[in-house]
Amino acid sequence: MGKHDHHEHQGDSLADAARANLEKSGEKWTDTRAAIFDSLAGFSRPASAYDIAELVSAARGKRVAPNSVYRILDLFVANNLAMRIESANAYLANSHPGCEHDCIFLVCDTCGEATHIDDDSLSQQVRKVAKSQGFKSIRPVIEVRGICQKCN
């Protein structure tokens, strides 16, 4: 993982990039998956499966179970369309679905906002330490909890 440039997508562009990325991996972009992705992408803060299920259920006029949402979110994480904030059990849409990133977040304990940080040197250092301990298939997840600048 070296330095790289990526295009930050928003709105329809983000949904199109997510769809292309998912279909490239051999998965189908169903109406339900599209609705869940659109809902997730609409949140400015990490969203739980329950938040998303509620929004999609209201929009469709019929209940969507959080378990179904969890399965789809797991698929999105596995295909790099979303990132999971482990400590909050919540998700963010990946604004550049074609790029693979380690999960490095600054999470505010006051407002709940999570800022994704791209720091390849930090990721490489964590991977190097893990490899030296015999770990294989390394996926660093780093979450720094504190108070963000806006809430401070």
Side-chain angles (χ1 to χ4, degrees):
M1 280 180 80
K3 281 265 184 225
H4 59 273
D5 293 316
H6 54 261
H7 176 72
E8 298 275 337
H9 294 277
Q10 296 177 325
D12 290 343
S13 166
L14 176 57
D16 290 345
R19 178 183 188 150
N21 207 55
L22 191 65
E23 289 177 341
K24 189 169 60 176
S25 73
E27 294 285 346
K28 290 190 180 353
W29 187 256
T30 64
D31 288 344
T32 302
R33 289 175 180 178
I36 288 170
F37 186 83
D38 288 344
S39 174
L40 176 64
F43 282 91
S44 60
R45 290 186 174 77
S48 73
Y50 291 91
D51 296 332
I52 294 164
E54 195 173 296
L55 207 60
V56 173
S57 295
R60 291 187 149 192
K62 67 176 189 174
R63 186 175 177 277
V64 176
N67 282 347
S68 299
V69 174
Y70 271 118
R71 281 193 298 277
I72 291 171
L73 289 171
D74 287 345
L75 176 73
F76 288 170
V77 169
N79 285 280
N80 206 33
L81 309 185
M83 299 174 287
R84 184 167 187 253
I85 315 301
E86 303 285 340
S87 64
N89 194 21
Y91 300 81
L92 281 173
N94 183 353
S95 60
H96 32 89
C99 298
E100 284 191 36
H101 295 281
D102 293 324
C103 294
I104 304 172
F105 293 102
L106 303 177
V107 183
C108 180
D109 288 330
T110 301
C111 70
E113 190 167 298
T115 304
H116 180 246
I117 304 295
D118 284 329
D119 187 328
D120 290 341
S121 64
L122 177 60
S123 295
Q124 288 170 351
Q125 186 64 26
V126 170
R127 287 173 184 277
K128 183 177 161 186
V129 169
K131 280 182 183 171
S132 76
Q133 297 296 312
F135 271 73
K136 292 188 177 10
S137 194
I138 302 160
R139 181 183 158 261
V141 176
I142 302 168
E143 296 180 16
V144 179
R145 307 269 332 187
I147 310 294
C148 74
Q149 191 172 14
K150 288 183 282 187
C151 294
N152 198 355

